[in-house]
């Protein structure tokens, strides 16, 4: 039995808690929180401990799932904890992955532990599909589309605008762009051609709606490069229609083979997810199993999804896998 | 530079020859044939040798790609050659994979070599996607659809009917079944509901067309469980419209997460291939690179796609992969 500790009990932590219930070889040993443990109630009556007590539970835990944020939590937590525990995180600041990898790798090697970073679906399953498809078709073009789904970063950006009480932003891939890519014509697509952004906003009483809309659609980095639509709705509509966190997307590679490049091929991987945090947690749970197995074989250091042979993810034996899934 | 030998110069062997031209770290050392080498002309002027000379070229070859058939060639060739070479094959008789694995594993271990069996897209990339999706979503349903594409086994079965000069059979997934699966409703689908079969037949002069059609649609195992349509065409139409070997398909897993299984997820992987043998060859080429790397690290024995960490497939370094694809 693999004993898992959750560090940080937000949406992702609750997703890990639920995902572990679907395994027969893994269980939740405890939740560790920076909040006062007496104020945190888990959904499955698992004990909650203070982060300060973590080292006292070292012997009860085979791996820690770090559920903090990529901006400030994980760059500190993952290397710090990798010295004493096997760890896995979902660090998703793409540009800073090399730096994060280096600091986590040093810590994990020092402690003789395994750390997996940047696990989830992007980075994660989408990255894996980019790697497989690029290895198979060296001459081709890559495309990643996201959505339809809620972008928390874009929703937060809207919430910071004066007069906004609440907001939800959906990223939507453009169907005609997807079809152009699938045709194998290898189109060059601008940011605007690939995705649209749809915003649902609850305004504070008396707020200037036209001003809010203008601030959204003209916001640099977040919205100005996209065709953006803004809908003002009531707090009740927000609660009724936009309380979930769906997401998904498409990774497509098109490429050519043959002595004269006469044959086209399209490799497509897509996800349609009702719950982004629960699916991310499900991916992390499978890779946590792999991390503990690798550690038992004597491996140490930082790994990514690229470094894990797929058989390690499954509770089935190699023999069962070859019989049932090959 | 990884030196590759091709054993058997049919469609798949020619696909390997073309795929190697798209790599910068691999090259074709020679083709080995059971035919008289002087009668075999490669498309890129690579030397052709007799199979009987294979052992004389042992030092020039890092891995042999075995391009024979699963029925009679590979069960004998793969274990025999794994004693002296790293080898990779596309053995696709699903029911006999455990047996094939055992005999190849023993031979490869005896010789201190690596063997990869059952590589391609199904078995191969489709198997990998079944494994990843099952590991992520333990509670769910699996679906594999094939096509639209040419089934060589079904085409051959038609060609054996009296009065048939030539035939091409397309396996076609049923759109409504695909949509039902994607909806997450986890439908139970019969063989007939999942695929239709479309046959193009060139009849010999004076043949009884009605009798041929009846024999096709009623043929057990091959056609009787499907809705099958038969078109009689001329030899010219066959040559003009049906000379390619396209194929593809879909691997879909739907599953539920959440404490009350309240969230649905759909994972879909699909391939749309202009040339089945060239794509299969491209997959094998990437895994051949992995096999040689594993062997250099000291690994031996039989492996499948499940046992290979994805990073081994790419010519890029771990650092480059993390930077560009994660």
């Amino acid at each position: 039995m693999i004993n898992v500790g959750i560090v940080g009990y937000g949406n992702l932590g609750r997703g890990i808690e639920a995902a572990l219930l679907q395994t027969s070889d893994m269980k939740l040993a405890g939740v560790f929180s920076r909040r006062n443990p007496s104020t945190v109630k888990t959904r499955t009556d698992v004990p909650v401990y203070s982060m300060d007590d973590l080292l006292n539970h070292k012997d009860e835990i085979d791996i820690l799932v770090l559920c903090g944020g990529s901006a400030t939590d994980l760059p500190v937590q993952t290397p710090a904890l990798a010295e004493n525990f096997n760890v896995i995180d979902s660090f998703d600041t793409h540009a800073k992955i090399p730096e994060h990898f280096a600091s986590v790798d040093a810590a994990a090697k020092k402690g003789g532990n395994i750390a997996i970073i940047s696990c989830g679906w992007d980075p994660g399953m989408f990255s894996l599909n980019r790697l497989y498809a690029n290895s198979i078709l060296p001459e081709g073009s890559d495309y990643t589309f996201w959505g339809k789904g809620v972008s928390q970063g874009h929703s937060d950006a809207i919430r910071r605008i004066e007069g906004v009480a609440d907001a939800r932003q959906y990223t939507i891939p453009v169907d005609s762009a997807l079809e152009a890519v699938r045709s194998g014509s290898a189109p060059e697509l601008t940011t605007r051609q690939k995705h649209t952004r749809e915003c649902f906003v609850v305004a504070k009483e008396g707020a200037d709606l036209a001003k809010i809309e203008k601030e959204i659609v003209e916001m640099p980095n977040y919205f100005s490069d996209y065709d953006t639509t803004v809908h003002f709705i009531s707090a009740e509509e927000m609660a009724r229609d936009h309380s979930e966190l769906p997401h998904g997307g498409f990774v497509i590679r098109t490429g050519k083979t043959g002595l004269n490049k006469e044959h086209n091929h399209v490799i497509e991987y897509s996800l349609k997810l009702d719950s982004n945090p629960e699916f991310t947690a499900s991916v992390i749970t499978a890779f946590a199993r792999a991390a503990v197995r690798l550690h038992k074989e004597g491996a140490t250091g930082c790994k990514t999804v690229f470094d894990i042979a797929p058989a390690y993810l499954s509770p089935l034996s190699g023999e069962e896998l070859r019989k049932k899934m090959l």
Side-chain angles (χ1 to χ4, degrees), chain A residues 34 66-75 77 91-92:
Chain A
R34 284 178 297 205
L66 310 185
C67 301
S70 296
T72 56
D73 297 332
L74 299 175
Q77 274 184 357
F91 185 80
D92 66 357

PDB file of all heavy atoms in Angstrom, chain A residues 34 66-75 77 91-92:
ATOM      1  N   ARG A  34      -1.170  24.856   5.929  1.00  0.00           N
ATOM      2  CA  ARG A  34      -0.591  26.000   6.629  1.00  0.00           C
ATOM      3  C   ARG A  34      -1.617  26.645   7.549  1.00  0.00           C
ATOM      4  O   ARG A  34      -1.284  27.425   8.415  1.00  0.00           O
ATOM      5  CB  ARG A  34      -0.080  27.030   5.621  1.00  0.00           C
ATOM      6  CG  ARG A  34       1.235  26.602   4.980  1.00  0.00           C
ATOM      7  CD  ARG A  34       1.704  27.593   3.945  1.00  0.00           C
ATOM      8  NE  ARG A  34       0.754  27.668   2.840  1.00  0.00           N
ATOM      9  CZ  ARG A  34       1.090  28.061   1.605  1.00  0.00           C
ATOM     10  NH1 ARG A  34       2.320  28.405   1.332  1.00  0.00           N
ATOM     11  NH2 ARG A  34       0.177  28.100   0.666  1.00  0.00           N
ATOM     12  N   LEU A  66       2.214  17.851  -3.717  1.00  0.00           N
ATOM     13  CA  LEU A  66       2.266  19.275  -3.386  1.00  0.00           C
ATOM     14  C   LEU A  66       1.234  20.022  -4.215  1.00  0.00           C
ATOM     15  O   LEU A  66       1.329  20.081  -5.450  1.00  0.00           O
ATOM     16  CB  LEU A  66       3.675  19.813  -3.639  1.00  0.00           C
ATOM     17  CG  LEU A  66       4.802  18.966  -3.014  1.00  0.00           C
ATOM     18  CD1 LEU A  66       6.161  19.637  -3.212  1.00  0.00           C
ATOM     19  CD2 LEU A  66       4.534  18.714  -1.538  1.00  0.00           C
ATOM     20  N   CYS A  67       0.236  20.577  -3.549  1.00  0.00           N
ATOM     21  CA  CYS A  67      -0.915  21.164  -4.239  1.00  0.00           C
ATOM     22  C   CYS A  67      -0.930  22.679  -4.188  1.00  0.00           C
ATOM     23  O   CYS A  67      -1.976  23.305  -4.376  1.00  0.00           O
ATOM     24  CB  CYS A  67      -2.199  20.593  -3.646  1.00  0.00           C
ATOM     25  SG  CYS A  67      -2.293  18.800  -3.781  1.00  0.00           S
ATOM     26  N   GLY A  68       0.227  23.296  -3.936  1.00  0.00           N
ATOM     27  CA  GLY A  68       0.298  24.754  -3.894  1.00  0.00           C
ATOM     28  C   GLY A  68       0.382  25.361  -5.289  1.00  0.00           C
ATOM     29  O   GLY A  68       0.344  24.655  -6.301  1.00  0.00           O
ATOM     30  N   GLY A  69       0.518  26.689  -5.327  1.00  0.00           N
ATOM     31  CA  GLY A  69       0.552  27.401  -6.598  1.00  0.00           C
ATOM     32  C   GLY A  69       1.954  27.518  -7.161  1.00  0.00           C
ATOM     33  O   GLY A  69       2.945  27.455  -6.428  1.00  0.00           O
ATOM     34  N   SER A  70       2.029  27.692  -8.491  1.00  0.00           N
ATOM     35  CA  SER A  70       3.331  27.752  -9.161  1.00  0.00           C
ATOM     36  C   SER A  70       4.042  29.079  -8.947  1.00  0.00           C
ATOM     37  O   SER A  70       5.263  29.164  -9.076  1.00  0.00           O
ATOM     38  CB  SER A  70       3.149  27.525 -10.667  1.00  0.00           C
ATOM     39  OG  SER A  70       2.660  26.242 -10.904  1.00  0.00           O
ATOM     40  N   ALA A  71       3.292  30.134  -8.642  1.00  0.00           N
ATOM     41  CA  ALA A  71       3.904  31.462  -8.556  1.00  0.00           C
ATOM     42  C   ALA A  71       4.841  31.564  -7.360  1.00  0.00           C
ATOM     43  O   ALA A  71       6.012  31.929  -7.518  1.00  0.00           O
ATOM     44  CB  ALA A  71       2.817  32.536  -8.478  1.00  0.00           C
ATOM     45  N   THR A  72       4.357  31.223  -6.180  1.00  0.00           N
ATOM     46  CA  THR A  72       5.198  31.425  -4.988  1.00  0.00           C
ATOM     47  C   THR A  72       5.384  30.162  -4.143  1.00  0.00           C
ATOM     48  O   THR A  72       6.426  29.990  -3.521  1.00  0.00           O
ATOM     49  CB  THR A  72       4.606  32.537  -4.097  1.00  0.00           C
ATOM     50  OG1 THR A  72       3.249  32.192  -3.777  1.00  0.00           O
ATOM     51  CG2 THR A  72       4.623  33.873  -4.811  1.00  0.00           C
ATOM     52  N   ASP A  73       4.385  29.242  -4.118  1.00  0.00           N
ATOM     53  CA  ASP A  73       4.487  28.064  -3.241  1.00  0.00           C
ATOM     54  C   ASP A  73       5.528  27.053  -3.721  1.00  0.00           C
ATOM     55  O   ASP A  73       6.469  26.708  -3.008  1.00  0.00           O
ATOM     56  CB  ASP A  73       3.131  27.337  -3.142  1.00  0.00           C
ATOM     57  CG  ASP A  73       2.051  28.206  -2.518  1.00  0.00           C
ATOM     58  OD1 ASP A  73       2.402  29.085  -1.706  1.00  0.00           O
ATOM     59  OD2 ASP A  73       0.867  28.005  -2.849  1.00  0.00           O
ATOM     60  N   LEU A  74       5.325  26.532  -4.932  1.00  0.00           N
ATOM     61  CA  LEU A  74       6.108  25.377  -5.371  1.00  0.00           C
ATOM     62  C   LEU A  74       7.604  25.661  -5.553  1.00  0.00           C
ATOM     63  O   LEU A  74       8.422  24.790  -5.233  1.00  0.00           O
ATOM     64  CB  LEU A  74       5.508  24.785  -6.657  1.00  0.00           C
ATOM     65  CG  LEU A  74       4.056  24.277  -6.503  1.00  0.00           C
ATOM     66  CD1 LEU A  74       3.505  23.811  -7.850  1.00  0.00           C
ATOM     67  CD2 LEU A  74       3.974  23.147  -5.472  1.00  0.00           C
ATOM     68  N   PRO A  75       7.986  26.848  -6.062  1.00  0.00           N
ATOM     69  CA  PRO A  75       9.431  27.091  -6.214  1.00  0.00           C
ATOM     70  C   PRO A  75      10.183  26.937  -4.892  1.00  0.00           C
ATOM     71  O   PRO A  75      11.368  26.606  -4.888  1.00  0.00           O
ATOM     72  CB  PRO A  75       9.486  28.545  -6.719  1.00  0.00           C
ATOM     73  CG  PRO A  75       8.182  28.764  -7.388  1.00  0.00           C
ATOM     74  CD  PRO A  75       7.178  27.970  -6.591  1.00  0.00           C
ATOM     75  N   GLN A  77       8.583  25.205  -1.913  1.00  0.00           N
ATOM     76  CA  GLN A  77       8.177  23.952  -1.260  1.00  0.00           C
ATOM     77  C   GLN A  77       8.800  22.711  -1.884  1.00  0.00           C
ATOM     78  O   GLN A  77       9.253  21.812  -1.173  1.00  0.00           O
ATOM     79  CB  GLN A  77       6.655  23.792  -1.338  1.00  0.00           C
ATOM     80  CG  GLN A  77       5.884  24.470  -0.239  1.00  0.00           C
ATOM     81  CD  GLN A  77       4.398  24.168  -0.349  1.00  0.00           C
ATOM     82  OE1 GLN A  77       3.940  23.491  -1.278  1.00  0.00           O
ATOM     83  NE2 GLN A  77       3.638  24.688   0.609  1.00  0.00           N
ATOM     84  N   PHE A  91       3.841  22.045 -11.120  1.00  0.00           N
ATOM     85  CA  PHE A  91       4.447  23.336 -11.490  1.00  0.00           C
ATOM     86  C   PHE A  91       4.199  23.637 -12.972  1.00  0.00           C
ATOM     87  O   PHE A  91       4.599  22.879 -13.846  1.00  0.00           O
ATOM     88  CB  PHE A  91       5.952  23.283 -11.206  1.00  0.00           C
ATOM     89  CG  PHE A  91       6.663  24.589 -11.434  1.00  0.00           C
ATOM     90  CD1 PHE A  91       6.617  25.595 -10.482  1.00  0.00           C
ATOM     91  CD2 PHE A  91       7.382  24.816 -12.599  1.00  0.00           C
ATOM     92  CE1 PHE A  91       7.268  26.804 -10.689  1.00  0.00           C
ATOM     93  CE2 PHE A  91       8.036  26.027 -12.811  1.00  0.00           C
ATOM     94  CZ  PHE A  91       7.975  27.018 -11.851  1.00  0.00           C
ATOM     95  N   ASP A  92       3.540  24.767 -13.253  1.00  0.00           N
ATOM     96  CA  ASP A  92       3.132  24.998 -14.644  1.00  0.00           C
ATOM     97  C   ASP A  92       3.577  26.341 -15.222  1.00  0.00           C
ATOM     98  O   ASP A  92       3.017  26.794 -16.224  1.00  0.00           O
ATOM     99  CB  ASP A  92       1.621  24.805 -14.794  1.00  0.00           C
ATOM    100  CG  ASP A  92       0.806  25.854 -14.041  1.00  0.00           C
ATOM    101  OD1 ASP A  92       1.414  26.698 -13.349  1.00  0.00           O
ATOM    102  OD2 ASP A  92      -0.425  25.826 -14.144  1.00  0.00           O
TER     103      ASP A  92
END
